[in-house]
Amino acid sequence: MRPRETHDHTHLSPERVASPRDHAHAIAPVVPHLHVHSGHPHGQAPSPVRSAVSLRDVCAGYYGRDVLDEVSFDVEQGDFVGIIGPNGSGKSTLLKVIAGLHPAQCGAVNVFGGPPDPRRRIVGYVPQAESVNWAFPVTALDVVLMGRYSKLGFFRGTGKKDVDAARAALEEVGMADRASSQIGELSGGQQQRVFVARALTSEPELMLLDEPIAGVDAASQHAIFTLLEDRQRRGMTIVASTHDLSCVATWFDRLLCLNHRVIAYGPPSEVLNDEILSKTYGSHVLLIPAVAD
C-alpha cells in the first residue's frame, strides 16, 4: 500500500459545505459530508498476522457524499465485535464495504488476506430486516437454500447435500419446524433467524450482521446471540451492528463506536462511558446497568 499522504484535516461547519478545493473535510455529527479523495491511498491494507479484517483510512459514501471518514481498525480472528452509533453514522455502509457489496472511495480494506469480494465465499452477510421484501413468495427453506448458491457455481442446481445443509442450519437456529412456511408469515424474530441460517449455510469464516436484533422480541434476541456466541467458540469471526446498548457489554469482545469516523474502539469496559458515548451520539446517553436476577 502506498504511504498515506498528509492533508489538511480541518473539520468545518455544515453551513460552509460547498465544493472543497483541497482535502478539507466538511462534516458535522450524523451529517454526510463532501470529501475530495484525489490524494488518498487506495488498495489492500497490510493485515496483521491474526487479523480477519483490517481497514486503513477508508472513506465511502453515496452520490458524492461520504458517510465513512478515514475509518481504521482491525478485527482479530475469532473476535465478536459490535458496532454502535446513531442513525446515519455509517454502520450499514461499513458492513457492506467489508462484505465487498459497496466500494471504498479511498483507503484500504483487507479481509482474511485479500480484498473484499463476495465471490471469495468466506463472508456471510445478514442485511437489515427493513431492506428485505418479505412479500416475496418463498418458504423459509427456499431462503436458506439461497445461501448455498455461492458454492454451486453456474449451471448447477441444488442437490440433496444442499437441502440437508439448509435443513441443518434451520435446525441450528430453531426454525426446522417452519421450513415450509412462507417467509412473510413468520414473525420478525423468526424471519431474522431464517436469514442467519441462510448466512450460516454458506459456511463462512466471517459473519457480518446488520442490526440482527432490531425489532425482535427478547427471546429471539437471546436465541440469536447465543447461536452467534456458539459459532464464535467454534472459530467464527463475527461483526454485528446494533442500536441496543443494553446488550453490548454482555455479548461483544470489542466495541467500535462510529459516527462517520471511529470515535473509540476497544473492550466494552473501556469504551462504555459518558464521554465516549456523548461523542458518539452527539448528546448525553444514559447507561442503565443491568440488575442481577
Side-chain angles (χ1 to χ4, degrees), residues 76-217:
E76 291 188 0
Q77 295 180 32
D79 266 1
F80 196 167
V81 174
I83 305 172
I84 62 172
N87 288 332
S89 60
K91 299 187 300 296
S92 296
T93 301
L94 176 58
L95 291 173
K96 290 177 181 177
V97 167
I98 297 171
L101 300 174
H102 188 79
Q105 297 301 313
C106 64
V109 185
N110 184 297
V111 179
F112 283 107
D117 186 342
R119 293 172 296 180
R120 294 178 65 203
R121 305 171 186 175
I122 59 173
V123 178
Y125 173 68
V126 180
Q128 283 193 39
E130 63 186 34
S131 66
V132 177
N133 179 10
W134 299 112
F136 197 75
V138 290
T139 66
L141 181 61
D142 292 331
V143 171
V144 179
L145 273 171
M146 294 175 188
R148 299 290 293 180
Y149 292 166
S150 64
K151 291 184 170 293
L152 298 177
F154 292 111
F155 311 115
R156 186 185 151 199
T158 54
K160 182 179 183 301
K161 179 181 178 181
D162 303 301
V163 174
D164 288 346
R167 290 192 180 279
L170 283 170
E171 179 74 36
E172 187 174 0
V173 301
M175 291 294 294
D177 61 333
R178 303 303 301 271
S180 300
S181 299
Q182 293 290 311
I183 192 67
E185 297 174 353
L186 304 177
S187 69
Q190 291 172 329
Q191 291 170 340
Q192 198 71 333
R193 281 191 270 174
V194 169
F195 270 76
V196 170
R198 183 185 71 166
L200 290 176
T201 199
S202 66
E203 302 173 5
E205 298 177 46
L206 170 66
M207 178 80 88
L208 305 174
L209 304 100
D210 196 354
E211 301 285 353
I213 60 171
V216 305
D217 57 63

Side-chain angles (χ1 to χ4, degrees), residues 5-292:
E5 299 178 22
T6 59
H7 66 281
D8 178 10
H9 200 276
T10 305
H11 290 263
L12 309 175
S13 68
E15 290 77 13
R16 293 180 60 187
V17 176
S19 180
R21 291 175 299 173
D22 55 7
H23 251 12
H25 297 219
I27 184 169
V30 202
V31 177
H33 62 289
L34 301 174
H35 187 121
V36 178
H37 303 285
S38 57
H40 283 202
H42 199 337
Q44 187 175 327
S47 182
V49 175
R50 287 183 47 82
S51 284
V53 178
S54 183
L55 279 76
R56 292 291 180 271
D57 304 315
V58 169
C59 302
Y62 307 88
Y63 309 109
R65 300 183 72 84
D66 282 354
V67 293
L68 296 179
D69 178 17
E70 298 190 31
V71 170
S72 299
F73 70 100
D74 297 309
V75 178
E76 291 188 0
Q77 295 180 32
D79 266 1
F80 196 167
V81 174
I83 305 172
I84 62 172
N87 288 332
S89 60
K91 299 187 300 296
S92 296
T93 301
L94 176 58
L95 291 173
K96 290 177 181 177
V97 167
I98 297 171
L101 300 174
H102 188 79
Q105 297 301 313
C106 64
V109 185
N110 184 297
V111 179
F112 283 107
D117 186 342
R119 293 172 296 180
R120 294 178 65 203
R121 305 171 186 175
I122 59 173
V123 178
Y125 173 68
V126 180
Q128 283 193 39
E130 63 186 34
S131 66
V132 177
N133 179 10
W134 299 112
F136 197 75
V138 290
T139 66
L141 181 61
D142 292 331
V143 171
V144 179
L145 273 171
M146 294 175 188
R148 299 290 293 180
Y149 292 166
S150 64
K151 291 184 170 293
L152 298 177
F154 292 111
F155 311 115
R156 186 185 151 199
T158 54
K160 182 179 183 301
K161 179 181 178 181
D162 303 301
V163 174
D164 288 346
R167 290 192 180 279
L170 283 170
E171 179 74 36
E172 187 174 0
V173 301
M175 291 294 294
D177 61 333
R178 303 303 301 271
S180 300
S181 299
Q182 293 290 311
I183 192 67
E185 297 174 353
L186 304 177
S187 69
Q190 291 172 329
Q191 291 170 340
Q192 198 71 333
R193 281 191 270 174
V194 169
F195 270 76
V196 170
R198 183 185 71 166
L200 290 176
T201 199
S202 66
E203 302 173 5
E205 298 177 46
L206 170 66
M207 178 80 88
L208 305 174
L209 304 100
D210 196 354
E211 301 285 353
I213 60 171
V216 305
D217 57 63
S220 292
Q221 290 184 23
H222 188 270
I224 289 170
F225 272 124
T226 300
L227 166 67
L228 294 175
E229 187 179 54
D230 178 65
R231 281 292 183 137
Q232 181 200 13
R233 290 195 189 101
R234 292 152 62 181
M236 182 178 286
T237 305
I238 304 170
V239 181
S241 65
T242 183
H243 277 99
D244 189 350
L245 296 183
S246 67
C247 71
V248 294
T250 303
W251 299 104
F252 298 125
D253 300 319
R254 298 174 71 82
L255 276 180
L256 179 74
C257 300
L258 185 71
N259 192 336
H260 301 305
R261 65 186 73 88
V262 175
I263 305 301
Y265 183 51
S269 60
E270 295 180 7
V271 304
L272 287 180
N273 58 62
D274 287 343
E275 179 183 359
I276 290 176
L277 291 176
S278 294
K279 289 179 180 178
T280 302
Y281 289 90
S283 61
H284 183 73
V285 177
L286 176 63
L287 270 183
I288 302 175
V291 179

